[in-house]
Amino acid sequence: GGVSTALGWALQKYSHNKAKSTEKGFYSQWVWWLGLFFIVIAQVLYVVSSLMANQSTLGVISPISLVASMIFAKFFLDEKITKWEY
């Protein structure tokens, strides 16, 4: 679920950045809707996983979304990954 959420955030941010150069709103772009789809699916997966696994197990694997966010930001948004991220 965390990777899907990170992908959804990156796609939506990409859509927002792209919308700045056009007159259309970000909500009229299919990329933004695809990002929203990934975020909704991720939240459904999170609820299902919460019912099936211990919170101690889920808490350990949840930082994967942070790493995935950094990777997606590098490839979709052309952001630099530095040693110190604030």
Side-chain angles (χ1 to χ4, degrees), residues 46 49-51 53-60:
Y46 178 73
S49 67
S50 295
L51 296 172
N54 295 332
Q55 289 296 319
S56 58
T57 304
L58 296 176
V60 171

Side-chain angles (χ1 to χ4, degrees), residues 5-6 9-10 15 19 27-29 34-35 37-38 40 45 47 53-54 59-60 66 76-77 81 83-86:
T5 302
W9 287 336
S15 178
Y27 50 84
S28 65
Q29 298 179 14
L34 183 64
F37 173 77
F38 276 114
V40 169
L45 290 174
V47 170
N54 295 332
V60 171
L66 176 65
F76 286 114
L77 307 173
I81 298 175
K83 183 176 180 180
W84 301 102
E85 292 292 326
Y86 297 99

Side-chain angles (χ1 to χ4, degrees), residues 32-80:
W32 187 86
W33 289 102
L34 183 64
L36 181 64
F37 173 77
F38 276 114
I39 291 171
V40 169
I41 292 298
Q43 297 310 308
V44 170
L45 290 174
Y46 178 73
V47 170
V48 170
S49 67
S50 295
L51 296 172
M52 300 174 77
N54 295 332
Q55 289 296 319
S56 58
T57 304
L58 296 176
V60 171
I61 61 173
S62 64
I64 292 173
S65 65
L66 176 65
V67 175
S69 290
M70 290 174 56
I71 292 170
F72 290 139
K74 174 161 178 55
F75 290 108
F76 286 114
L77 307 173
D78 294 326
E79 293 184 8
K80 286 178 62 176

